[in-house]
Amino acid sequence: MTAGRLLLLIPLAYLAIFFLYPLFSILERSLGGESGYGLEPFRVLLNDPYYLGRIWFTIWQAVVSTLLTLVVGLPAAFLFARYEFPGKSLLKAVSTLPFVMPTIVVAMGFTALFGSQGIVNSALMTVFSLDDPPVRITNTLTIIFMAHAFYNYAIIVRIVSALWSNLDPKLEHSAKVLGAGPIRTFYHVTLPLLLPAIISASLLAFAFSFTSFGVVLILGGPQFSTLEVSIYELTAKLFRLPLAGALAVIQLAFTYLFLLLYSRFQEQSVVPVNLMPQEATSRRAKSWRDKVFVLGMVLVLLTMLSPLIALVVRWITLDGGFGTAQMANLFSDERGSYFHLSPVTIIWNSLRFALMTVVISLVIGTIISYFISNSKRHWRTIADALVMLPLGVSAVTLGFGYIIALGRPPLDIRGSWIILVIAHSLVAYPFVIRSLMPVLKGMNPNLKEAAALLGATPARVFLLVELPLIAPALLVGATFAFAISMGEFGASLILVRSEFTTMPVAIFRFLGLPGEANLGMALGMSCLLMAVVALGFVAIERFRYKGVGGF
Amino acid sequence: MPILSASGLYKAYDDEMVVNGVSFSAEPGELLCLLGPSGCGKTTLLRMLAGLDEPDAGTISFDGRSIDGLAPQQRGFGLMFQDLALFPHMDVFGNIAFGLRMQKLPASQVQTRVHELLDLVEMSGYAHRKVHELSGGERQRVALARSLAPEPKLLMLDEPLGSLDRALRESLQSQVRRILKEVGVTSIYVTHDRDEAFTMGDRLIFMNHGDIIQTGTPEEAVANPADGFVARTLGFKNVLTGLLVSDGETLKIECAVGILSVPKPPGLETSEGAELTLLIDEKGITMSASSGTATGDSLQGVITERVFRGDWYELRVQVGNGELYCHVLADAVLNLAQTNQNVVLNIDPNFIRFLGGGG
């Protein structure tokens, strides 16, 4: 067991060097040291009604966004967990796409769809011969909520359907036999059993809405500002670093508070259940009611994807028609080259960073989850909340921290691509933990004991019994890690050297350049990003059916 | 020379004593039945033997050597869990082969041994079924085969047939006993069912509230139940406690059903005012229709329940503040044994036994 404990040093060292050290460096720079502000910035912030208002707004918009995300996500999770239908794995892959899209691309998609000259308004104006665009949701709260739900529903779908698809349908059947209708069955049987996964997923959705930056800044317009946006404004526009640092600490404190509440609640909600293999729980839609449900949900999911579809449409119709010139531009080394990088190199950069992020996050996430789920109860809650803390730090803050802390001796890795992969994995590994934890805690403890009694050492118990049982959850974690790395923008923009440009950074750069051609390049690269990520998801899904994740 | 001996085992959870100073031993090849109600500490005792829980005090030795502090995988014991704990991600073959693979046996030997075991539990042809495709009885047999595969030196079975229907349970009981005896493994079988214990056990260990109350063969236990708890576990229904009101050649004992007169058995040391536990064999109770009042030592009562048992009826009779059960042949009962009927019971004192300990 002592040899096993040594493993714990890996994630501890990783967190200390790549999370705490940069974080403290940035705080020291803004609050401590020569400037000597100390606690003064906190006093200023907490006495200012404007910033108190920001805190309150950040919290409630995150709550509303999370609820909306659940409303969309749960039925979709049910669809993927319980039904077999043609094109299922493709639809599942495609519906996770929104999660990876850089904010700037999503904002483009929403504008292309709902803007005053967008597809929806143009269509409505033509059909009903209106003079003014009827749908006016740009720069409103509505579009912020919609965008958050759009971004995060994939989290709910992935995490919840992973557990749901392993739940024995006989439990639901017995409730029905005992006289419960579908709603009461869901409320009294399915919901309590799914709760660990639902809470896990909601927490992630909440954390993303809580630290939302791009969506609020670009789609919400000037009158809405979350803490993250305020930090950005204080840093980049008002140059009041001490206040920004203090606000970052406040945001982090709130995040930790939510995480602590969450892990308390999570602790109470886990019930060990016997998990069933996926193929034993899902079926083809046979009755007409099932068919209507499946068809309806597929349509809803396609509607969710409409901002992305709008982007593709816009790319194709740009400049009066889908010219071969656009495609040629994208793949030509000369005209389309960006800092002498061919698009192929950019795609390859994104892909290899994503693969390395997957490996690092899986290793770190698995070790942490394993130790936390096996530790004593009272410090389990605290530890669980602590290791999720990177979720509460924005990529932008993290990026600045890395520049300060990791660009000087003793550790100077600023010029290397490693720093980028590490920044990505720090955002990604909490997802691995959240995917794994419900399964690890819900596992029948007798299985491990049975293996030990049959002569398996702890290492072999893990490899032969636990690992295969958590494999589906690991795949979910891998999917997220891949997606996060592919779509990560903030930290990449700050940290990346031009030869390591990733796809989202390239899209951003193209958008910053004038002219239709560059807009076309940006749109083309966005569509390529979608295609590459969708292919990646399908590949991961395939991997599951090849055996490792057969259960 | 016992192969397994446990002495002075204690285990408490959250200040509650679950196993309270238990000592026992098992002979090589013996099939011990651990009998007791839920929560009496049976499972905890097994887990300590298996090395899954550490005793707060006491030692366990096996084959002459202490095994205290040894990890479960180093003990070479087998445990069949109440919920079986079959690995859901492996097929039948994978489950049974698991322990063999842990011993690093070559694949060909694993193959042979698994098929041997499948034959033994009469499940040849099921090697590549998935666990969730099996019925309850099939799962029990796979779990048994899995625990037997690595040839454990001691096999523990924790109410392994608890969840099965009666017919299946009975057929599996004899099958399991046959297999265990064929293999010759020393086994501890936990159950709370008397019939199962009679079928399975060479020797029975009765446990209650974390203590061992009695150890012995089924015959010994039935002939001499140590106390009221053991008697009830063995299926005796007329277990009464009473106060000795008059000592002498004939004891007079006041119980809930009235005052009973019993000739003093030789060797019984007692004094007036002592509490005694009595066991009355149903065979010693005769019943007649109530005509007038009861005379002498007969007791008057009302039939409150009648259960048909095939050849005979079991009748529950309310007597005074207590109850007595008696058996009546089915054809003799037609007029007499209706519920709410008043009856007179006569107890043959020769069928009354005194038990040690409390009720």
Short mmCIF file of all heavy atoms in Angstrom, two decimals, chain A residues 108-150:
data_model
loop_
_atom_site.label_atom_id
_atom_site.label_comp_id
_atom_site.label_asym_id
_atom_site.label_seq_id
_atom_site.Cartn_x
_atom_site.Cartn_y
_atom_site.Cartn_z
N MET A 108 -20.35 34.16 -33.20
CA MET A 108 -20.62 34.33 -34.62
C MET A 108 -21.83 33.52 -35.05
O MET A 108 -22.68 33.98 -35.81
CB MET A 108 -19.40 33.86 -35.44
CG MET A 108 -18.31 34.90 -35.61
SD MET A 108 -16.78 34.12 -36.17
CE MET A 108 -17.30 33.45 -37.73
N GLY A 109 -21.90 32.29 -34.56
CA GLY A 109 -23.02 31.41 -34.89
C GLY A 109 -24.34 31.98 -34.41
O GLY A 109 -25.32 32.01 -35.15
N PHE A 110 -24.36 32.45 -33.17
CA PHE A 110 -25.60 33.02 -32.62
C PHE A 110 -26.02 34.26 -33.39
O PHE A 110 -27.19 34.46 -33.67
CB PHE A 110 -25.44 33.34 -31.13
CG PHE A 110 -25.85 32.21 -30.23
CD1 PHE A 110 -25.00 31.14 -30.02
CD2 PHE A 110 -27.10 32.21 -29.63
CE1 PHE A 110 -25.38 30.09 -29.21
CE2 PHE A 110 -27.49 31.15 -28.83
CZ PHE A 110 -26.63 30.10 -28.62
N THR A 111 -25.03 35.08 -33.74
CA THR A 111 -25.37 36.28 -34.50
C THR A 111 -25.87 35.90 -35.89
O THR A 111 -26.85 36.47 -36.39
CB THR A 111 -24.13 37.20 -34.63
OG1 THR A 111 -23.52 37.29 -33.34
CG2 THR A 111 -24.52 38.57 -35.09
N ALA A 112 -25.21 34.92 -36.50
CA ALA A 112 -25.65 34.47 -37.82
C ALA A 112 -27.09 33.96 -37.78
O ALA A 112 -27.83 34.05 -38.74
CB ALA A 112 -24.72 33.38 -38.34
N LEU A 113 -27.48 33.44 -36.61
CA LEU A 113 -28.81 32.85 -36.50
C LEU A 113 -29.85 33.86 -36.02
O LEU A 113 -30.91 34.01 -36.60
CB LEU A 113 -28.74 31.66 -35.53
CG LEU A 113 -29.90 30.69 -35.55
CD1 LEU A 113 -30.00 30.02 -36.90
CD2 LEU A 113 -29.68 29.64 -34.47
N PHE A 114 -29.53 34.56 -34.91
CA PHE A 114 -30.53 35.39 -34.26
C PHE A 114 -30.31 36.89 -34.44
O PHE A 114 -31.11 37.69 -33.97
CB PHE A 114 -30.57 35.09 -32.75
CG PHE A 114 -30.97 33.69 -32.44
CD1 PHE A 114 -30.08 32.81 -31.84
CD2 PHE A 114 -32.25 33.23 -32.73
CE1 PHE A 114 -30.45 31.51 -31.54
CE2 PHE A 114 -32.62 31.94 -32.44
CZ PHE A 114 -31.72 31.08 -31.85
N GLY A 115 -29.21 37.29 -35.07
CA GLY A 115 -28.95 38.71 -35.27
C GLY A 115 -30.05 39.36 -36.09
O GLY A 115 -30.89 38.67 -36.68
N SER A 116 -30.03 40.71 -36.13
CA SER A 116 -31.15 41.38 -36.80
C SER A 116 -31.16 41.02 -38.30
O SER A 116 -32.21 41.07 -38.92
CB SER A 116 -31.05 42.89 -36.59
OG SER A 116 -29.75 43.33 -36.93
N GLN A 117 -30.00 40.64 -38.84
CA GLN A 117 -30.00 40.18 -40.24
C GLN A 117 -29.74 38.68 -40.32
O GLN A 117 -29.38 38.16 -41.37
CB GLN A 117 -28.93 40.93 -41.03
CG GLN A 117 -29.36 42.35 -41.34
CD GLN A 117 -28.18 43.23 -41.66
OE1 GLN A 117 -27.09 42.77 -41.97
NE2 GLN A 117 -28.42 44.53 -41.57
N GLY A 118 -29.94 38.01 -39.20
CA GLY A 118 -29.65 36.58 -39.15
C GLY A 118 -30.70 35.75 -39.85
O GLY A 118 -31.72 36.27 -40.32
N ILE A 119 -30.45 34.44 -39.89
CA ILE A 119 -31.31 33.53 -40.64
C ILE A 119 -32.75 33.56 -40.12
O ILE A 119 -33.71 33.66 -40.89
CB ILE A 119 -30.74 32.10 -40.56
CG1 ILE A 119 -29.38 32.06 -41.24
CG2 ILE A 119 -31.70 31.10 -41.18
CD1 ILE A 119 -28.63 30.77 -41.08
N VAL A 120 -32.92 33.51 -38.79
CA VAL A 120 -34.27 33.44 -38.20
C VAL A 120 -35.06 34.68 -38.56
O VAL A 120 -36.19 34.61 -39.06
CB VAL A 120 -34.19 33.27 -36.68
CG1 VAL A 120 -35.56 33.43 -36.05
CG2 VAL A 120 -33.58 31.93 -36.32
N ASN A 121 -34.46 35.85 -38.33
CA ASN A 121 -35.18 37.09 -38.59
C ASN A 121 -35.47 37.28 -40.07
O ASN A 121 -36.58 37.67 -40.44
CB ASN A 121 -34.40 38.28 -38.04
CG ASN A 121 -34.72 38.50 -36.58
OD1 ASN A 121 -35.85 38.31 -36.15
ND2 ASN A 121 -33.72 38.88 -35.80
N SER A 122 -34.49 36.97 -40.92
CA SER A 122 -34.73 37.11 -42.36
C SER A 122 -35.89 36.24 -42.79
O SER A 122 -36.78 36.69 -43.52
CB SER A 122 -33.48 36.71 -43.16
OG SER A 122 -32.36 37.32 -42.62
N ALA A 123 -35.88 34.99 -42.29
CA ALA A 123 -36.94 34.05 -42.68
C ALA A 123 -38.30 34.58 -42.21
O ALA A 123 -39.26 34.63 -42.99
CB ALA A 123 -36.67 32.68 -42.08
N LEU A 124 -38.37 35.01 -40.94
CA LEU A 124 -39.65 35.48 -40.39
C LEU A 124 -40.12 36.72 -41.15
O LEU A 124 -41.31 36.87 -41.44
CB LEU A 124 -39.50 35.79 -38.91
CG LEU A 124 -39.40 34.56 -37.99
CD1 LEU A 124 -39.13 34.97 -36.56
CD2 LEU A 124 -40.68 33.72 -38.07
N MET A 125 -39.17 37.62 -41.43
CA MET A 125 -39.56 38.85 -42.12
C MET A 125 -40.09 38.55 -43.52
O MET A 125 -41.04 39.17 -43.97
CB MET A 125 -38.36 39.81 -42.21
CG MET A 125 -38.12 40.55 -40.90
SD MET A 125 -36.45 41.22 -40.76
CE MET A 125 -36.55 42.62 -41.86
N THR A 126 -39.48 37.58 -44.20
CA THR A 126 -39.94 37.22 -45.55
C THR A 126 -41.32 36.56 -45.48
O THR A 126 -42.24 36.93 -46.19
CB THR A 126 -38.95 36.24 -46.21
OG1 THR A 126 -37.64 36.71 -45.95
CG2 THR A 126 -39.22 36.13 -47.69
N VAL A 127 -41.46 35.59 -44.56
CA VAL A 127 -42.70 34.81 -44.50
C VAL A 127 -43.88 35.70 -44.10
O VAL A 127 -44.95 35.63 -44.69
CB VAL A 127 -42.56 33.63 -43.51
CG1 VAL A 127 -43.91 32.95 -43.32
CG2 VAL A 127 -41.53 32.65 -44.02
N PHE A 128 -43.68 36.55 -43.06
CA PHE A 128 -44.81 37.34 -42.57
C PHE A 128 -44.78 38.78 -43.09
O PHE A 128 -45.50 39.64 -42.59
CB PHE A 128 -44.83 37.34 -41.03
CG PHE A 128 -45.04 35.96 -40.46
CD1 PHE A 128 -43.97 35.24 -39.94
CD2 PHE A 128 -46.31 35.37 -40.46
CE1 PHE A 128 -44.17 33.97 -39.42
CE2 PHE A 128 -46.50 34.11 -39.95
CZ PHE A 128 -45.43 33.40 -39.43
N SER A 129 -43.96 39.04 -44.06
CA SER A 129 -43.77 40.39 -44.63
C SER A 129 -43.66 41.47 -43.55
O SER A 129 -44.44 42.42 -43.52
CB SER A 129 -44.93 40.77 -45.58
OG SER A 129 -45.55 39.67 -46.12
N LEU A 130 -42.71 41.30 -42.64
CA LEU A 130 -42.52 42.29 -41.58
C LEU A 130 -41.47 43.30 -42.02
O LEU A 130 -40.60 43.01 -42.84
CB LEU A 130 -42.06 41.60 -40.30
CG LEU A 130 -43.02 40.53 -39.74
CD1 LEU A 130 -42.34 39.78 -38.60
CD2 LEU A 130 -44.32 41.16 -39.27
N ASP A 131 -41.55 44.48 -41.42
CA ASP A 131 -40.56 45.50 -41.74
C ASP A 131 -39.38 45.47 -40.79
O ASP A 131 -38.27 45.83 -41.14
CB ASP A 131 -41.22 46.90 -41.70
CG ASP A 131 -42.22 47.05 -42.83
OD1 ASP A 131 -42.02 46.38 -43.87
OD2 ASP A 131 -43.20 47.81 -42.66
N ASP A 132 -39.66 45.07 -39.53
CA ASP A 132 -38.60 45.03 -38.53
C ASP A 132 -38.33 43.59 -38.12
O ASP A 132 -39.24 42.76 -38.13
CB ASP A 132 -39.02 45.82 -37.28
CG ASP A 132 -39.23 47.28 -37.62
OD1 ASP A 132 -38.37 47.83 -38.33
OD2 ASP A 132 -40.26 47.83 -37.19
N PRO A 133 -37.07 43.31 -37.74
CA PRO A 133 -36.77 41.95 -37.24
C PRO A 133 -37.57 41.65 -35.97
O PRO A 133 -37.51 42.44 -35.02
CB PRO A 133 -35.27 42.00 -36.96
CG PRO A 133 -34.90 43.44 -36.93
CD PRO A 133 -35.87 44.16 -37.79
N PRO A 134 -38.38 40.57 -35.94
CA PRO A 134 -39.23 40.28 -34.77
C PRO A 134 -38.45 39.74 -33.56
O PRO A 134 -38.85 39.98 -32.43
CB PRO A 134 -40.21 39.22 -35.29
CG PRO A 134 -39.52 38.59 -36.46
CD PRO A 134 -38.58 39.60 -37.02
N VAL A 135 -37.37 39.01 -33.80
CA VAL A 135 -36.62 38.44 -32.69
C VAL A 135 -35.46 39.36 -32.34
O VAL A 135 -34.55 39.54 -33.14
CB VAL A 135 -36.09 37.03 -33.06
CG1 VAL A 135 -35.33 36.44 -31.87
CG2 VAL A 135 -37.24 36.13 -33.46
N ARG A 136 -35.55 39.98 -31.17
CA ARG A 136 -34.45 40.86 -30.77
C ARG A 136 -33.87 40.38 -29.44
O ARG A 136 -34.33 40.78 -28.38
CB ARG A 136 -34.96 42.28 -30.60
CG ARG A 136 -35.48 42.86 -31.89
CD ARG A 136 -36.01 44.23 -31.65
NE ARG A 136 -36.78 44.64 -32.82
CZ ARG A 136 -37.27 45.85 -32.96
NH1 ARG A 136 -37.08 46.75 -32.01
NH2 ARG A 136 -37.96 46.16 -34.03
N ILE A 137 -32.91 39.47 -29.54
CA ILE A 137 -32.35 38.96 -28.29
C ILE A 137 -30.86 39.22 -28.17
O ILE A 137 -30.24 38.86 -27.19
CB ILE A 137 -32.62 37.45 -28.12
CG1 ILE A 137 -32.16 36.69 -29.36
CG2 ILE A 137 -34.07 37.17 -27.82
CD1 ILE A 137 -32.21 35.19 -29.18
N THR A 138 -30.27 39.87 -29.17
CA THR A 138 -28.85 40.20 -28.99
C THR A 138 -28.73 41.23 -27.87
O THR A 138 -29.59 42.08 -27.70
CB THR A 138 -28.23 40.79 -30.28
OG1 THR A 138 -29.23 41.56 -30.92
CG2 THR A 138 -27.78 39.68 -31.20
N ASN A 139 -27.64 41.10 -27.12
CA ASN A 139 -27.42 41.96 -25.95
C ASN A 139 -28.54 41.87 -24.91
O ASN A 139 -28.92 42.87 -24.31
CB ASN A 139 -27.23 43.43 -26.38
CG ASN A 139 -25.92 43.62 -27.09
OD1 ASN A 139 -25.24 42.64 -27.42
ND2 ASN A 139 -25.52 44.86 -27.32
N THR A 140 -29.12 40.68 -24.73
CA THR A 140 -30.08 40.49 -23.64
C THR A 140 -29.61 39.33 -22.79
O THR A 140 -28.74 38.56 -23.18
CB THR A 140 -31.49 40.16 -24.17
OG1 THR A 140 -31.41 38.92 -24.89
CG2 THR A 140 -32.05 41.23 -25.04
N LEU A 141 -30.27 39.20 -21.63
CA LEU A 141 -29.99 38.06 -20.75
C LEU A 141 -30.36 36.76 -21.45
O LEU A 141 -29.70 35.74 -21.29
CB LEU A 141 -30.81 38.19 -19.48
CG LEU A 141 -30.12 38.83 -18.28
CD1 LEU A 141 -31.10 38.96 -17.15
CD2 LEU A 141 -28.93 38.01 -17.87
N THR A 142 -31.47 36.81 -22.21
CA THR A 142 -31.96 35.61 -22.89
C THR A 142 -30.86 34.94 -23.69
O THR A 142 -30.67 33.72 -23.61
CB THR A 142 -33.12 35.96 -23.84
OG1 THR A 142 -33.99 36.86 -23.16
CG2 THR A 142 -33.87 34.73 -24.29
N ILE A 143 -30.13 35.73 -24.45
CA ILE A 143 -29.12 35.12 -25.32
C ILE A 143 -27.96 34.58 -24.50
O ILE A 143 -27.34 33.57 -24.84
CB ILE A 143 -28.66 36.09 -26.43
CG1 ILE A 143 -28.12 35.28 -27.61
CG2 ILE A 143 -27.63 37.08 -25.93
CD1 ILE A 143 -28.02 36.06 -28.88
N ILE A 144 -27.69 35.22 -23.34
CA ILE A 144 -26.64 34.69 -22.44
C ILE A 144 -27.05 33.30 -21.94
O ILE A 144 -26.27 32.35 -21.99
CB ILE A 144 -26.40 35.64 -21.26
CG1 ILE A 144 -25.80 36.96 -21.75
CG2 ILE A 144 -25.48 35.00 -20.22
CD1 ILE A 144 -25.48 37.94 -20.65
N PHE A 145 -28.30 33.21 -21.46
CA PHE A 145 -28.79 31.92 -20.96
C PHE A 145 -28.76 30.87 -22.06
O PHE A 145 -28.35 29.72 -21.87
CB PHE A 145 -30.22 32.05 -20.41
CG PHE A 145 -30.29 32.87 -19.16
CD1 PHE A 145 -31.41 33.66 -18.90
CD2 PHE A 145 -29.27 32.85 -18.22
CE1 PHE A 145 -31.48 34.43 -17.75
CE2 PHE A 145 -29.33 33.61 -17.07
CZ PHE A 145 -30.44 34.40 -16.84
N MET A 146 -29.26 31.28 -23.25
CA MET A 146 -29.29 30.33 -24.37
C MET A 146 -27.89 29.84 -24.70
O MET A 146 -27.66 28.65 -24.90
CB MET A 146 -29.92 30.99 -25.61
CG MET A 146 -31.44 31.04 -25.57
SD MET A 146 -32.10 32.06 -26.89
CE MET A 146 -31.69 31.08 -28.33
N ALA A 147 -26.94 30.78 -24.73
CA ALA A 147 -25.58 30.39 -25.08
C ALA A 147 -24.98 29.48 -24.02
O ALA A 147 -24.30 28.51 -24.33
CB ALA A 147 -24.72 31.64 -25.26
N HIS A 148 -25.25 29.77 -22.72
CA HIS A 148 -24.73 28.90 -21.66
C HIS A 148 -25.32 27.49 -21.77
O HIS A 148 -24.61 26.50 -21.62
CB HIS A 148 -25.02 29.49 -20.29
CG HIS A 148 -24.11 30.62 -19.93
ND1 HIS A 148 -24.36 31.47 -18.89
CD2 HIS A 148 -22.94 31.03 -20.49
CE1 HIS A 148 -23.38 32.37 -18.82
NE2 HIS A 148 -22.51 32.12 -19.78
N ALA A 149 -26.63 27.42 -22.02
CA ALA A 149 -27.27 26.10 -22.17
C ALA A 149 -26.68 25.38 -23.38
O ALA A 149 -26.38 24.19 -23.34
CB ALA A 149 -28.77 26.25 -22.31
N PHE A 150 -26.49 26.14 -24.45
CA PHE A 150 -25.92 25.59 -25.68
C PHE A 150 -24.53 25.02 -25.42
O PHE A 150 -24.19 23.91 -25.84
CB PHE A 150 -25.86 26.72 -26.72
CG PHE A 150 -25.07 26.40 -27.95
CD1 PHE A 150 -25.64 25.66 -28.96
CD2 PHE A 150 -23.76 26.85 -28.09
CE1 PHE A 150 -24.91 25.36 -30.11
CE2 PHE A 150 -23.03 26.56 -29.24
CZ PHE A 150 -23.61 25.81 -30.24
#
